[in-house]
Amino acid sequence: MSGTEIRDGRAAGRLEAVGDGEVAGRRIEYVVLEPPVRSLVPVRTIVEPAREGKGAAGVARRELYVIAEREGDPVAPPCPYVVQRSARHPEKAPPADRSCCRPAAKDWLRACPGRF
């Protein structure tokens, strides 16, 4: 993990682990949902098999929550990895209003099937 940073590639919809100037095979793909409540929606976490267990996915997940806190947005995660890890650390995971954010996120994903 030494020398790894997380780059917010919002235009491409991903947080990428970057080491030695290149993408290091780990990322969280996400979208910014506007209606009904602006929220960050991590869709999936991708880790190349050779890079599993190195901790970069956790760093990316934490960075997602730093971005959400800085921007004042909740996180509405359908991504199983983010849901599981965030449940273990609720003090670091500002909850989204599931009654509106999660259904809206799922609707967005169904409307954009080729995005992820």
Side-chain angles (χ1 to χ4, degrees):
M1 272 304 302
S2 178
T4 300
E5 67 179 80
I6 302 299
R7 178 174 59 200
D8 185 3
R10 184 161 297 191
R14 47 178 75 153
L15 287 174
E16 300 170 313
V18 178
D20 299 323
E22 60 185 53
V23 176
R26 299 159 287 223
R27 69 181 182 267
I28 292 178
E29 295 184 340
Y30 77 103
V31 296
V32 178
L33 183 67
E34 293 295 338
V37 175
R38 182 179 157 93
S39 56
L40 301 183
V41 181
V43 177
R44 64 182 175 180
T45 301
I46 297 173
V47 178
E48 292 176 1
R51 306 218 186 248
E52 288 179 354
K54 309 261 192 240
V59 172
R61 179 191 53 80
R62 285 188 296 277
E63 182 64 19
L64 181 77
Y65 281 99
V66 167
I67 291 168
E69 183 177 12
R70 181 176 60 237
E71 296 178 6
D73 298 325
V75 176
C79 170
Y81 172 78
V82 176
V83 169
Q84 175 192 35
R85 300 300 293 179
S86 298
R88 291 183 187 170
H89 303 283
E91 75 284 0
K92 298 176 183 176
D97 178 356
R98 288 179 175 245
S99 66
C100 70
C101 291
R102 270 187 77 128
K106 288 181 179 185
D107 288 345
W108 187 94
L109 290 168
R110 279 192 292 275
C112 303
R115 175 74 189 265
F116 296 101

